[in-house]
Amino acid sequence: MRSSGDGAVGGAPGRSLGESGPYPLQRSAAEPSTETVGYRGPTACAAAGITYRQLDYWARTGLVEPSVRPAYGSGTQRLYSFRDVVVLKIVKRFLDTGVALQNIRAAVQHLRERGFADLERMTLMSDGATVYECSSPDEVVDLLQGGQGIFGIAVGVVWRDVDAALSQLHGERIDTGETLIGNNPADELARRRRDRAV
């Protein structure tokens, strides 16, 4: 169990901070992987449940920056990865529960340092002042018994929520810039036109 609070990030002795790597998602081989798809600001906002103003502020202050493509001035659009959108939704949930922005910033930094490995299996707990990372049910129980955790965010649930939301929205292939149509039934006509054009 690791904690972040008061602007500091700590770790338990002898535990590595994790390694970066792809996330195991249940997608078919025909679908582009999350590593090759980016999402523009409005799409990231819709999936994370935040306003564009929040997104812009968090990017400008370095809280959650787009890892695929930052804005280079007027006319360029930020492009967020799937993982970025998951972090945006986690930040929103923490803000909604009253966690101080400096503690959220420390938690996001801690997740970055871990390389987001095991993110899907992680639970983030907070008492409002400190954010704790729990990677096993035993750690959650220990934290609750110690009276430190008031609420938790099961990151796997956020992960699935974001995945479901993004499957209904448009993405963009990072390598070609091609717009990928979501699974929204209202987009069936656009999908048929695209298939005929190919």
Side-chain angles (χ1 to χ4, degrees), residues 4-16:
S4 62
D6 303 323
V9 176
R15 267 180 95 172
S16 76

Side-chain angles (χ1 to χ4, degrees), residues 23-140:
Y23 291 95
L25 289 177
Q26 292 73 36
R27 294 186 181 272
S28 72
E31 293 180 78
S33 80
T34 58
E35 303 301 319
T36 62
V37 178
Y39 303 94
R40 292 185 179 201
T43 301
C45 290
I50 61 173
T51 66
Y52 194 83
R53 189 174 189 172
Q54 287 174 306
L55 181 81
D56 184 54
Y57 178 73
W58 295 348
R60 284 187 292 109
T61 60
L63 178 61
V64 183
E65 297 174 286
S67 63
V68 177
R69 183 176 63 217
Y72 293 112
S74 65
T76 61
Q77 293 209 6
R78 297 180 184 108
L79 208 57
Y80 290 83
S81 71
F82 176 83
R83 287 175 273 197
D84 296 338
V85 180
V86 170
V87 173
L88 288 168
K89 192 167 184 90
I90 290 170
V91 169
K92 164 113 169 59
R93 291 217 174 151
F94 275 132
L95 284 174
D96 289 348
T97 54
V99 176
L101 193 57
Q102 81 175 39
N103 293 331
I104 295 171
R105 190 175 296 279
V108 169
Q109 181 59 37
H110 175 69
L111 292 174
R112 277 192 199 120
E113 289 171 2
R114 280 184 47 100
F116 298 97
D118 302 323
L119 190 63
E120 193 176 6
R121 294 181 291 277
M122 186 185 300
T123 299
L124 298 173
M125 303 287 291
S126 180
D127 56 7
T130 305
V131 176
Y132 302 89
E133 172 202 331
C134 301
S135 54
S136 75
D138 292 338
E139 289 180 344
V140 173

Side-chain angles (χ1 to χ4, degrees), residues 138-149:
D138 292 338
E139 289 180 344
V140 173
V141 170
D142 289 346
L143 193 61
L144 291 172
Q145 286 177 339
Q148 294 164 303

Side-chain angles (χ1 to χ4, degrees), residues 184-196:
N184 190 331
D187 290 330
E188 183 60 30
L189 182 59
R191 189 177 299 110
R192 287 182 187 169
R193 286 181 183 148
R194 184 191 68 200
D195 290 345
R196 265 190 255 141

